[in-house]
């Protein structure tokens, strides 16, 4: 500008104004608003996101590793049957050997109380007469627990593990194993019980004591499937999100639950003992095919997450115990249920208030919406900044006067753009949002589509504005009048572009204009500020504007509509490309089904 003969002060002030215009100051505030609103929407859907940025990361989740119990099922266990070889011990052992620390323990104790009331047994007296001497708590590694009393050593746990510790003939053991499989195929959970006489010989439990036990039998539990989970799994399939079910249960139990949910995982299952023997490279090769991991330990969860992440997956992992903390930390999104331990909650990124798998899917949907809204705001703010830079630079290059003053640039940037930019954060999710495959971690916000649209909006708008400015500058109009026209034209274009940025998947004609009322209100306020800048005397002095007539306003509105049509035409090219991809993806899903 100095080289072309502009005044030093004028070109310096304008350069500062253009620098301010080039940097979208409202972006930081708007991004924070988008993330905060996303967290609020996720909370409305029964989940708490503990870290602001995790709300956006949810949108890129490509694999969900979910616990079966309490997430796919209700986690409200109830005993539906008792299968014991000794009726008297079949009451005493569950009554004395149970921990009310999880749904299984609560269901066991509830069964004991009901049976005691029915048969008029005094539980309090039994507990007083049998003081506990020692206990070995349940551990995922041993999958069993034991309690010691003056008369008995009592054991409870995974039925096949407890049965293996008992004195029982091979034929009888096989009969019981067939029973286990039959119950498991019905989707029922089992806890096996055994005992051994103590006669006051021991007051501490040792590992060698846990053998040659007397087999007692099993309690059989039912855990209903959660409402909405079947639909949520179908939504995951449509969205290209893989689901891995991880459980400590029998494999037939897990397969039965999956079958009720519409999935067949018979040929896609892996047992914990098989997983334990596998090297990391072997697991990586087959993990894409595996749907169910049965009889797993918390440590094996970590191994699963590591293998998935090395394959480039963005992993969401559910857990609830202290031992799950490492896997939760390793996952991109660690998710715990409301009843989880404090250690697990502190490690997790999200807490499920209703412990429902469907809530995870809703949160992923909200995460995708957050990312889309960020793209919309970036498109709106950067396209405006790009337009202003080209307009000023183009005018200087053509040897024309400056089309707008420094104050007018700042007014458009800070007043006209800020409110609509924030209002775009309130855009609701689009129906197609869960029909797209998950984006990768490396997916930039400024992708090819966004760069092209920013460039197209800037070029198309500036061709119109520069043409108008050139035509006006060759007439007999006063410079301040011309600058006012250009100032209003920039402001109107900014408002129309906000409408265009509401969706990257639909044209402005396919979006309900009254759906985002916050945007409508912000555009109305911005329009009032624009009108005020032209007609209020104090602002006329500050911004060096002149009052415009009705004809000028009509002309500029028509110009803005024309510009909007040009932008929507550019958008349409990308929209058609997106629809072609969507049709292809739906066809692929039909083939897979």
């Amino acid at each position: 500008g100095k080289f072309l003969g502009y005044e030093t002060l004028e070109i310096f002030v304008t350069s500062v104004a253009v620098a301010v215009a080039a940097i979208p100051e409202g972006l930081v505030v708007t991004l924070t608003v988008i993330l905060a609103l996303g967290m609020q929407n996720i909370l409305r859907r029964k989940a708490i996101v503990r870290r602001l940025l995790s709300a956006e990361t949810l949108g890129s989740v490509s694999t969900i590793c979910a616990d079966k119990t309490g997430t796919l099922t209700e986690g409200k266990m109830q005993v539906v049957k008792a299968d014991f070889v000794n009726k008297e011990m079949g009451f005493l052992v569950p009554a004395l050997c149970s921990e009310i620390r999880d749904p299984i323990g609560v269901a066991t104790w509830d069964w004991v109380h009901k049976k005691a009331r029915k048969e008029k047994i005094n539980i309090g007296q039994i507990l007083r007469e049998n003081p506990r001497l020692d206990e070995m708590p349940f551990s995922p590694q041993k999958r069993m627990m034991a309690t010691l009393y003056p008369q008995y050593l009592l054991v409870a746990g995974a039925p096949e593990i407890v049965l293996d510790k008992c004195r029982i003939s091979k034929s009888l053991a096989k009969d019981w194993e067939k029973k286990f499989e039959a119950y498991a195929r019905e989707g029922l959970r089992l806890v096996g019980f055994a005992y051994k006489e103590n006669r006051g010989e021991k007051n501490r439990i040792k590992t060698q004591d846990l053998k040659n036990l007397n087999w007692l039998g099993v309690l059989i539990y039912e855990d209903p499937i959660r409402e909405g989970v079947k639909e949520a799994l179908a939504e995951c399939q449509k969205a290209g999100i893989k689901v891995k079910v991880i459980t400590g249960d029998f494999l037939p139990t897990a397969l039965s639950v999956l079958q009720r949910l519409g999935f067949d995982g018979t040929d896609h299952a892996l047992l914990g003992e098989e997983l334990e023997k596998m090297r990391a490279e072997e697991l990586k090769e087959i993990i894409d095919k595996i749907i169910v991991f049965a009889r797993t330990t918390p440590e094996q969860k970590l191994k699963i997450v590591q293998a998935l992440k090395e394959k480039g997956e963005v992993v969401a992992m559910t857990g609830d115990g202290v031992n799950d903390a490492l896997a939760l930390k390793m996952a991109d999104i660690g998710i715990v249920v409301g009843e989880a331990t404090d250690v697990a909650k502190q490690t997790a990124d999200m807490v499920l208030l209703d412990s429902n798998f469907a809530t995870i899917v809703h949160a992923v949907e909200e995460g995708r919406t957050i990312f889309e809204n960020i793209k919309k705001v970036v498109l709106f703010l950067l396209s405006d900044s790009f337009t202003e830079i080209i307009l000023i630079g183009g005018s200087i290059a053509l040897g024309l006067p400056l089309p707008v003053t420094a104050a007018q640039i700042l007014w458009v940037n800070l007043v006209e753009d800020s409110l609509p930019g924030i209002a775009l954060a309130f855009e609701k999710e689009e129906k197609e949002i869960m029909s797209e495959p998950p984006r990768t971690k490396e997916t930039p916000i400024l992708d090819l589509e966004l760069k092209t649209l920013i460039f197209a909006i800037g070029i198309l708008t500036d061709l119109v504005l520069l043409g108008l400015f050139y035509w006006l500058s060759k007439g007999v109009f006063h410079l301040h009048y011309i600058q006012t026209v250009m100032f209003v034209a920039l402001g109107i274009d900014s408002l129309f572009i906000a409408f265009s940025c509401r969706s990257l998947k639909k044209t402005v004609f396919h979006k309900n204009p009254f759906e985002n009322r916050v945007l409508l209100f912000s555009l109305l306020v911005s329009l009032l500020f624009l009108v005020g800048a032209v007609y209020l005397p104090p602002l006329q002095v500050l911004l060096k504007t002149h009052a415009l007539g009705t004809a000028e306003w009509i002309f500029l509105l028509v110009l803005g509509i024309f510009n909007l049509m040009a932008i929507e035409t550019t958008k349409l090219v990308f929209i058609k490309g997106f629809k072609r991809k969507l049709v292809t993806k739906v066809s692929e899903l039909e083939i897979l089904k």
Side-chain angles (χ1 to χ4, degrees):
K2 181 64 180 168
F3 176 76
L4 294 172
Y6 290 86
E7 291 183 14
T8 304
L9 180 61
E10 181 186 23
I11 201 67
F12 172 74
V13 173
T14 304
S15 298
V16 172
V18 171
V20 172
I23 301 167
E25 299 87 350
L27 188 58
V28 177
V29 175
T30 308
L31 291 183
T32 307
V33 170
I34 290 172
L35 291 170
L37 284 172
M39 290 176 74
Q40 191 178 52
N41 291 336
I42 291 170
L43 177 60
R44 201 175 289 121
R45 289 181 159 190
K46 306 295 183 185
I48 297 172
V49 178
R50 298 182 63 247
R51 297 175 179 86
L52 196 63
L53 288 176
S54 298
E56 184 271 327
T57 307
L58 275 163
S60 59
V61 167
S62 59
T63 301
I64 300 174
C65 295
D67 286 324
K68 178 185 73 65
T69 305
T71 308
L72 300 180
T73 60
E74 290 185 2
K76 296 176 181 176
M77 295 288 180
Q78 55 182 3
V79 177
V80 293
K81 188 177 178 182
D83 192 348
F84 291 125
V85 296
N86 183 317
K87 184 179 178 182
E88 183 182 346
M89 293 301 290
F91 174 80
L92 182 67
V93 176
L96 295 176
C97 188
S98 61
E99 297 175 316
I100 313 175
R101 298 175 185 173
D102 56 23
I104 286 282
V106 172
T108 305
W109 197 241
D110 185 52
W111 176 80
V112 168
H113 269 274
K114 285 178 181 177
K115 191 171 179 64
R117 281 197 300 270
K118 185 179 179 181
E119 299 184 10
K120 297 180 180 179
I121 299 171
N122 189 331
I123 298 175
Q125 185 178 346
I126 290 174
L127 294 175
R128 285 192 297 272
E129 289 175 354
N130 294 277
R132 186 174 290 188
L133 303 175
D134 194 18
E135 65 177 281
M136 185 188 77
F138 181 88
S139 73
Q141 292 78 18
K142 294 178 180 177
R143 297 212 298 275
M144 60 185 290
M145 63 164 292
T147 53
L148 183 66
Y149 295 87
Q151 288 184 298
Y152 299 105
L153 169 65
L154 310 178
V155 177
E160 75 278 16
I161 300 294
V162 176
L163 183 66
D164 191 51
K165 305 284 184 184
C166 295
R167 293 178 298 175
I168 188 169
S169 67
K170 288 184 179 180
S171 60
L172 199 54
K174 283 184 179 179
D175 290 341
W176 275 102
E177 285 168 0
K178 288 177 183 177
K179 278 188 179 185
F180 299 161
E181 289 182 12
Y183 287 132
R185 279 195 294 272
E186 295 175 28
L188 301 170
R189 290 192 68 180
L190 310 175
V191 173
F193 294 91
Y195 66 97
K196 186 178 184 180
E197 290 186 2
N198 181 28
R199 298 175 184 173
E201 297 168 359
K202 300 177 183 296
N203 57 11
R204 288 286 180 272
I205 300 173
K206 295 180 180 178
T207 305
Q208 57 264 34
D209 297 330
L210 301 175
K211 57 184 179 180
N212 296 321
L213 303 172
N214 299 310
W215 172 250
L216 179 59
V218 291
L219 278 179
I220 301 133
Y221 305 76
E222 186 179 50
D223 186 11
I225 289 170
R226 283 189 178 276
E227 188 178 346
V229 169
K230 190 172 184 178
E231 294 77 10
L233 284 168
E235 188 82 354
C236 283
Q237 193 175 37
K238 187 175 76 171
I241 300 170
K242 302 166 192 170
V243 177
K244 310 289 184 187
V245 178
I246 301 174
T247 179
D249 284 353
F250 258 128
L251 177 59
T253 305
L255 292 176
S256 172
V257 170
L258 280 177
Q259 284 168 358
R260 281 186 279 163
L261 290 169
F263 281 78
D264 182 12
T266 309
D267 299 323
H268 308 282
L270 191 69
L271 290 171
E273 59 189 39
E274 297 171 321
L275 176 60
E276 190 67 35
K277 297 171 186 175
M278 276 188 178
R279 298 194 311 273
E281 289 302 317
E282 290 176 315
L283 180 59
K284 274 173 63 178
E285 286 178 14
I286 66 162
I287 198 163
D288 285 341
K289 300 175 185 177
I290 305 299
I291 296 174
V292 184
F293 294 89
R295 286 302 192 206
T296 55
T297 64
E299 290 77 12
Q300 289 168 350
K301 279 187 177 183
L302 180 62
K303 194 173 181 179
I304 294 166
V305 173
Q306 285 174 328
L308 287 167
K309 289 191 73 174
E310 285 175 14
K311 294 272 289 186
E313 302 287 340
V314 180
V315 184
M317 162 69 76
T318 65
D320 56 8
V322 173
N323 293 331
D324 291 330
L326 283 174
L328 291 169
K329 186 73 175 174
M330 171 65 70
D332 297 281
I333 296 288
I335 303 170
V336 296
V337 295
E339 301 80 21
T341 61
D342 289 340
V343 172
K345 283 181 179 177
Q346 287 168 13
T347 309
D349 301 290
M350 188 169 80
V351 180
L352 301 179
L353 299 179
D354 61 356
S355 305
N356 197 334
F357 177 82
T359 304
I360 302 174
V361 181
H362 293 324
V364 170
E365 182 182 8
E366 193 60 45
R368 291 188 174 193
T369 302
I370 287 168
F371 189 76
E372 282 299 304
N373 284 348
I374 289 172
K375 287 181 71 173
K376 292 169 190 175
V377 169
V378 168
L379 173 61
F380 173 67
L381 294 177
L382 289 189
S383 60
D384 271 3
S385 297
F386 193 47
T387 299
E388 290 161 11
I389 293 166
I390 296 174
L391 180 62
I392 300 294
S395 301
I396 292 173
L398 292 170
L400 299 171
L402 291 172
V404 283
T405 66
Q408 288 169 356
I409 292 172
L410 295 176
W411 186 269
V412 170
N413 204 51
L414 298 175
V415 179
E416 301 302 320
D417 291 354
S418 297
L419 289 176
I422 292 173
L424 284 171
F426 291 83
E427 278 297 319
K428 295 180 180 178
E429 71 275 2
E430 299 187 65
K431 291 179 182 178
E432 299 86 355
I433 199 79
M434 290 298 278
S435 298
E436 302 173 50
R439 68 180 189 276
T440 62
K441 288 180 184 178
E442 293 77 24
T443 301
I445 292 174
L446 278 170
D447 56 13
L448 178 62
E449 178 186 7
L450 220 59
K451 288 175 183 176
T452 305
L453 285 172
I454 289 169
F455 184 77
I457 290 170
I459 295 298
L460 291 170
T461 305
D462 283 313
L463 283 173
V464 173
L465 293 179
L466 278 171
L468 175 63
F469 183 52
Y470 183 82
W471 176 69
L472 289 173
S473 62
K474 295 302 178 183
V476 294
F477 304 104
H478 189 274
L479 180 59
H480 285 175
Y481 169 82
I482 298 172
Q483 287 177 330
T484 302
V485 171
M486 298 304 297
F487 166 62
V488 173
L490 264 179
I492 288 174
D493 276 334
S494 177
L495 302 184
F496 276 116
I497 289 169
F499 264 116
S500 186
C501 291
R502 286 189 61 208
S503 175
L504 301 175
K505 304 291 185 289
K506 295 177 182 177
T507 64
V508 72
F509 307 107
H510 292 89
K511 287 285 287 184
N512 181 356
F514 303 104
E515 194 174 41
N516 190 340
R517 294 181 182 179
V518 179
L519 180 61
L520 288 176
F521 176 75
S522 70
L523 292 175
L524 178 61
V525 172
S526 295
L527 185 60
L528 290 174
F529 274 119
L530 188 63
V531 173
V534 174
Y535 293 106
L536 294 177
L539 292 178
Q540 285 179 332
V541 174
L542 176 68
L543 301 173
K544 296 179 181 178
T545 57
H546 280 251
L548 299 178
T550 306
E552 286 96 331
W553 280 98
I554 292 171
F555 173 74
L556 291 172
L557 284 170
V558 171
L559 206 63
I561 293 169
F562 171 77
N563 196 34
L564 177 68
M565 295 300 101
I567 293 164
E568 288 299 304
T569 303
T570 308
K571 254 175 65 178
L572 200 58
V573 175
F574 285 97
I575 291 169
K576 285 183 176 179
F578 168 73
K579 286 183 177 177
R580 279 197 297 272
K581 287 179 185 175
L582 195 58
V583 169
T584 305
K585 185 175 182 296
V586 170
S587 302
E588 287 172 355
L589 282 173
E590 290 301 321
I591 291 166
L592 284 171
K593 285 179 184 178

